[in-house]
Amino acid sequence: MLEDDLAQLRRVIARGAAARDIDAVLEPIISVGDPRTIAPLLLMLTDDAEDESLWSLVHAVEQFDDATYVRHFLSALSGLVVGSSRWASILMMRILNSEASQAELIRQVRIAPVYSRKAAAFLCGAINERDARFLAKTTSVLLAASDGS
């Protein structure tokens, strides 16, 4: 059932539906509260759609506790960077702007698979190039991503 709901949401997003239509299809998915939906929802973000229509996906995944959200964010990050680099940056900056989320990201990046660490480092570097104000927030993530590599 959940897979069917996710597939329906993908179709609604692909056809460029309005935010209210996306919200209607998203509601049964988020009401389940299953953390396995985090990565698929993140991977539905697309730079081609209007921002307004996709913010519900961001808010849905951010409802989970930091440890759960960050774990699934990292698992989807390399695909998200390739498929939607702008949304990947937005999500990373939102995590970096919360001290608790940032601390959890640093903790989990250290033990993440190499592909996740590389994606996090790439994304933090790209953020730094666009906005030097994030340098203080990304430095710890970059150090954590280089641990063990």
Side-chain angles (χ1 to χ4, degrees), residues 87-146:
W87 278 106
S89 292
I90 290 168
L91 294 168
M92 180 65 84
M93 288 185 287
R94 288 172 68 87
I95 290 171
L96 293 171
N97 280 330
S98 162
E99 286 184 29
S101 298
Q102 179 186 19
E104 187 61 34
L105 177 65
I106 292 165
R107 186 185 75 71
Q108 288 195 34
V109 162
R110 284 189 178 103
I111 59 173
V114 172
Y115 66 89
S116 296
R117 290 196 319 259
K118 286 183 177 182
F122 171 81
L123 192 53
C124 285
I127 290 169
N128 288 341
E129 287 178 17
R130 285 191 312 277
D131 191 341
R133 294 174 295 175
F134 274 88
L135 188 59
K137 295 177 181 185
T138 59
T139 300
S140 296
V141 178
L142 288 165
L143 289 171
S146 69

Side-chain angles (χ1 to χ4, degrees), residues 38 42 69-77 80 91-92 95:
I38 296 171
L42 291 174
Y69 171 54
V70 168
R71 181 174 66 252
H72 291 277
F73 168 77
L74 285 172
S75 74
L77 188 56
L80 189 57
L91 294 168
M92 180 65 84
I95 290 171

Side-chain angles (χ1 to χ4, degrees), residues 37-92:
T37 62
I38 296 171
L41 290 174
L42 291 174
L43 293 170
M44 288 183 209
L45 294 168
T46 174
D47 292 344
D48 298 332
E50 288 190 36
D51 285 0
E52 180 185 332
S53 64
L54 298 179
W55 277 105
S56 294
L57 276 69
V58 173
H59 297 145
V61 298
E62 288 180 341
Q63 292 179 19
F64 289 91
D65 64 90
D66 286 336
T68 302
Y69 171 54
V70 168
R71 181 174 66 252
H72 291 277
F73 168 77
L74 285 172
S75 74
L77 188 56
S78 60
L80 189 57
V81 167
V82 171
S84 182
S85 60
R86 190 173 59 80
W87 278 106
S89 292
I90 290 168
L91 294 168
M92 180 65 84

